[in-house]
Amino acid sequence: MKTKLCVLAGAVLVAWGLKHHYAVARADELWWVLTPTARVVGVATGTAFQSVPGEGYVSRERLFVIEKSCAGVNFMIAAFAMMVLTFHHRITSRLSGAQVLVASLVASYGTAVFVNATRIIMAMWLGLLPLAASGLSAAEVHRLEGIAVYFGGLVILYEVALRLEHSVVTARVRP
């Protein structure tokens, strides 16, 4: 019980640290998440993004910027917390607690890059559509699209995590 509480406290510290870093960081200091996101978006859309100091990644041809608010760090924090809470029952020792923290951090980072790239790709596509008939502003469409993609990303991550755990447990039980 004490080990689980220590791991949960560690998870809270990691989440707080990420949130604090994101709050005070400039776009240049978020290279660790913006760079892979811009690369995935560029490959998927065939759009060239260039790093612009102080701004993020810019596509001049598409008039699109992947900037600090596009980093997906808040999603990463939510995914990390969800993963730790999903697997807290597996914490039986310091080692297993460290494994849960590290695996949750790695999974949340990879998922954040992929889901955030998906959100940006969709935003670029939606930006090409005439949305005036919908009665929603471009900002409202962008917000709703972000909510839907991020929520869907969390649901899929949770389902994948449960299936992986089930396959590991099943593999251990088989002779």
Side-chain angles (χ1 to χ4, degrees):
M1 179 69 159
K2 184 178 177 183
T3 302
K4 286 184 180 186
L5 287 175
C6 288
V7 170
L8 289 176
V12 168
L13 285 173
V14 168
W16 179 86
L18 283 168
K19 184 66 176 176
H20 178 72
H21 172 66
Y22 176 64
V24 300
R26 297 182 321 270
D28 299 338
E29 297 167 322
L30 295 171
W31 62 266
W32 54 273
V33 68
L34 288 175
T35 300
T37 300
R39 285 186 181 150
V40 171
V41 172
V43 168
T45 63
T47 303
F49 284 91
Q50 296 176 332
S51 177
V52 177
E55 289 185 47
Y57 288 83
V58 176
S59 167
R60 299 202 192 292
E61 75 178 85
R62 295 289 297 268
L63 300 175
F64 199 91
V65 179
I66 301 174
E67 49 133 14
K68 177 182 176 173
S69 66
C70 299
V73 175
N74 287 325
F75 174 83
M76 181 180 166
I77 294 166
F80 171 71
M82 182 189 74
M83 293 295 288
V84 170
L85 292 174
T86 299
F87 293 113
H88 82 280
H89 68 279
R90 304 207 25 77
I91 300 168
T92 57
S93 66
R94 289 181 186 169
L95 178 61
S96 64
Q99 289 171 334
V100 165
L101 285 175
V102 170
S104 296
L105 193 57
V106 169
S108 67
Y109 173 75
T111 303
V113 169
F114 178 77
V115 170
N116 201 37
T118 301
R119 183 189 63 81
I120 293 168
I121 292 164
M122 287 181 66
M124 290 173 70
W125 176 74
L126 286 170
L128 298 174
L129 300 177
L131 300 172
S134 72
L136 298 173
S137 70
E140 291 170 327
V141 170
H142 187 67
R143 188 176 310 110
L144 289 172
E145 179 251 344
I147 291 168
V149 171
Y150 285 145
F151 179 73
L154 287 174
V155 170
I156 291 169
L157 176 61
Y158 180 75
E159 286 298 319
V160 168
L162 290 183
R163 288 175 195 251
L164 284 174
E165 181 181 38
H166 177 72
S167 65
V168 167
V169 169
T170 303
R172 286 186 183 163
V173 172
R174 290 184 186 157

